[in-house]
Amino acid sequence: MIETGSLQSQAYKTMKELILSKSLDSGVLYSETRLAKELGISRTPLREALQCLSQDGYITIMPSRGFQIRTLNKKTMAESIEARCAIEGFCVHLFASCEDEARKQKLLEDLKESLSRQKAALTSKNFPESFTEEDHQFHMTFVHFAGNSEFNQLFQRLLYMIHLTTSGALTITGRAQTTYEEHLQFYLLLKKGEADQAYQALIAHLMMPLKMDLI
């Protein structure tokens, strides 16, 4: 874990921004030493930041050689989506079997607020970035309901592949609106207590990118 405000944290944030903005080429084998010099970052904090970026699924470290930015291909996309289905699908079961009504209502309220932000993001000046962020937050909120630290860590590691998949899907005209509607349908089914239908709706939503010509 990197301390907020530390040199490692700053290096992590800088590298993450470069990766998400596609300022680093996914086809290049980067040298830690050379990159540290180019970015004006000391090697030790950069090395620690790279370890965390590897753990979070952004890069692949090749010992004694350097590192590469992870890429989205059919295999990595399918595997990340299947992992999400396993995690989020089980969260539907946890929600349905939860006897703490106050806790369930809190989740529903949080999801409803997320839906409102998603709707606003559809016409935001920062679209599609703003909508992509709200899309991630919607699913993260649901995963966090489980209170399972392993789920949280696995989802964090999937987040970069999720980001690439979502970004690709949102280039298709109308997909953002459809995504919002699918989220709304899922929320309404959960609210009605129709767990089986909610599960089916969630899985269909998560699997949808596999039916698109994204790669």
Side-chain angles (χ1 to χ4, degrees):
M1 180 69 70
I2 295 178
E3 286 185 36
T4 302
S6 67
L7 290 175
Q8 293 92 333
S9 174
Q10 293 171 28
Y12 179 94
K13 182 178 179 181
T14 297
M15 287 297 301
K16 185 175 177 180
E17 289 175 350
L18 289 172
I19 293 170
L20 292 178
S21 65
K22 298 184 179 180
S23 298
L24 296 178
D25 190 337
S26 58
V28 172
L29 179 62
Y30 286 97
S31 162
E32 174 191 306
T33 303
R34 184 172 180 178
L35 190 62
K37 185 178 295 185
E38 290 177 357
L39 297 177
I41 299 173
S42 299
R43 286 187 62 187
T44 298
L46 179 60
R47 185 180 301 115
E48 294 183 11
L50 291 175
Q51 289 295 331
C52 288
L53 287 164
S54 176
Q55 292 171 10
D56 288 347
Y58 289 91
I59 65 173
T60 300
I61 293 177
M62 300 177 182
S64 302
R65 295 179 60 199
F67 69 92
Q68 285 184 310
I69 310 302
R70 289 186 70 203
T71 58
L72 186 69
N73 54 46
K74 289 183 178 180
K75 185 175 186 292
T76 55
M77 183 170 71
E79 289 179 347
S80 63
I81 287 174
E82 289 166 4
R84 290 186 70 187
C85 287
I87 294 171
E88 296 187 51
F90 187 69
C91 288
V92 175
H93 163 72
L94 291 177
F95 179 86
S97 60
C98 180
E99 297 181 355
D100 187 339
E101 289 300 324
R103 186 162 168 257
K104 291 172 72 172
Q105 286 302 313
K106 177 64 167 60
L107 173 65
L108 290 172
E109 289 172 8
D110 290 343
L111 294 179
K112 185 178 179 180
E113 290 176 5
S114 176
L115 284 165
S116 295
R117 293 193 298 270
Q118 287 174 52
K119 189 172 183 180
L122 287 169
T123 54
S124 167
K125 292 186 296 183
N126 296 324
F127 179 88
E129 288 79 8
S130 56
F131 186 85
T132 299
E133 177 62 24
E134 290 303 334
D135 174 282
H136 296 348
Q137 288 298 324
F138 182 83
H139 289 277
M140 287 172 66
T141 296
F142 189 58
V143 171
H144 289 165
F145 172 80
N148 185 315
S149 60
E150 292 295 331
F151 281 6
N152 293 341
Q153 290 178 26
L154 286 168
F155 197 85
Q156 178 63 41
R157 177 165 176 77
L158 292 171
L159 203 52
Y160 181 50
M161 291 296 106
I162 293 171
H163 173 83
L164 293 179
T165 301
T166 303
S167 298
L170 293 184
T171 63
I172 297 174
T173 303
R175 181 56 197 162
Q177 178 65 38
T178 303
T179 295
Y180 165 74
E181 292 169 359
E182 290 171 358
H183 286 168
L184 178 60
Q185 178 193 26
F186 171 66
Y187 161 77
L188 292 173
L189 288 169
L190 277 185
K191 188 176 180 181
K192 292 177 184 176
E194 298 177 1
D196 289 342
Q197 293 91 328
Y199 174 82
Q200 294 298 331
L202 174 67
I203 298 302
H205 167 66
L206 294 177
M207 296 288 284
M208 186 59 68
L210 295 178
K211 299 180 180 179
M212 301 176 182
D213 189 19
L214 301 181
I215 299 173

